[in-house]
Amino acid sequence: MSESTFQFINTPSQLEKACIEISKCRVLCIDTEFHRESTYYAEFALLQVYGNNQCWIIDPIELPDLAPFWDIMANPDILKVFHAGRQDVEIVVKESGIMPLPIFDTQVAAALLGYGQQVGFGNLVQRITKRELAKGESFSDWKARPLRAKQLEYAADDVIWLMPIYQHLKERLEALGRLKWLDEEQATLCDPSTYEIDEDNVFWRVKGSNRLKGRQLAVLRSLSAWREQQAQRNNIPRRRMIGDEQLLEIARRDKLTLDGMSRMRGVNPGFVKRHGETILNVWQAGVDAPEESWPKLPSRRHNTKGTELRLEMLDTLVRLKAEEGEIASTILASKSDLSELASWGYRCKGEPPEVACLHGWRHELVGHDLLRLLRGEICLHLNPNTGLPVITDFSANEAS
């Protein structure tokens, strides 16, 4: 493995030559550096690419037109490897208008192999290759030019070492028959709609939205959509327009006036002067929304007799299956999913709740047995020799 050797690309002729070589690769490791602290959209500052034992660092500030590279990213015969690639893919989609398919996300793959649900890249490199990557440039100003040698070496390492990580994880997924699991887990990452802004539903992201109901949620929906539009138009973070706490407070009001708004903590006079009348109109539109259009919070099941005991049994089964499959139990089934199942399991009537652990590979690995446990078809007990929980299958005993 070469030590941070790369070509720095910042002229059109260099880019053209580099893309000739990049296009020959069948697997490309991709990373980006960006800033998002003071803008709505990520400020694209650096692009790192590795393939066929070569590394290229491309400067999108000096080279705003990366069309030759985006053509390569559109090639379905080239696999694009990312680590925790959601924001990297978002940048590619915004800059080029294309989805860089197919994708292999090493963070997702690692989660399916027992490395933890959101393992960091440096941690993964250390565990798999025993190499400890430098951390000193994590908070660099990637927009500043010229870039320092240490910055470029740090950036190169992010893709140079991504290749052996990808190769190791792919081999293990293949050996365990889990490549199809990866496709399921990456479905959202690979869906173009993931990168489209749904203004009508951004209100669910407002911290505390689950404390509102009925008309208040309708008002919050109107306010949040307006804030999203303004943040995009001005390319500033949502909170810079108006904070979540203030949106919630306005949504709760039975009556709203400019004077009342100006007296709210966290709402400055300049905001009221510029946007106050518009906010009043947006608030009123939410108030006037017909009742049948009001957003509804997801229904919650109430605790029933024995729910907590059932929850403990379900959780034990999940941990047993996780240990058998060498995978983190939190990836198999979330606590909220198990709570839904535990509540439904009081009578086991009707269809089971719509929870992730009852679908796809999770159903195969653990979901089917969770339902069987609730229906009394299998049980958990302690092995007297080991003191560990084991599963007894009643249907197997009856068949024999």
Side-chain angles (χ1 to χ4, degrees), residues 194-299:
T194 299
Y195 308 97
E196 298 171 359
I197 305 300
D198 184 357
E199 294 173 1
D200 288 335
N201 283 298
V202 291
F203 71 96
W204 292 119
R205 300 182 193 173
V206 175
K207 189 176 180 180
S209 61
N210 60 346
R211 298 198 296 269
L212 305 185
K213 59 183 179 180
R215 179 176 281 116
Q216 293 177 338
L217 276 176
V219 174
L220 183 64
R221 178 177 59 192
S222 293
L223 293 168
S224 299
W226 174 83
R227 181 178 69 169
E228 199 74 13
Q229 293 164 2
Q230 294 300 310
Q232 290 177 44
R233 184 174 296 125
N234 296 287
N235 195 23
I236 59 174
R238 299 176 187 91
R239 66 181 183 278
R240 289 268 298 277
M241 281 302 302
I242 183 171
D244 283 2
E245 291 182 0
Q246 289 70 38
L247 277 190
L248 287 173
E249 180 57 30
I250 293 172
R252 288 191 190 100
R253 294 290 175 101
D254 293 326
K255 183 180 179 181
L256 185 67
T257 64
L258 292 177
D259 182 60
M261 205 185 311
S262 64
R263 294 175 185 273
M264 288 182 190
R265 188 171 59 186
V267 178
N268 65 61
F271 175 85
V272 176
K273 183 176 180 180
R274 288 191 303 273
H275 305 292
E277 291 290 348
T278 301
I279 290 289
L280 291 179
N281 292 332
V282 172
W283 176 86
Q284 191 64 51
V287 169
D288 293 340
E291 185 172 349
E292 60 269 20
S293 73
W294 292 352
K296 293 180 175 59
L297 290 169
S299 59

Side-chain angles (χ1 to χ4, degrees), residues 37-55:
E37 295 82 2
S38 60
T39 58
Y40 181 90
Y41 298 105
E43 295 181 281
F44 187 22
L46 206 63
L47 171 64
Q48 303 101 282
V49 185
Y50 182 84
N52 287 354
N53 296 314
Q54 298 180 79
C55 180

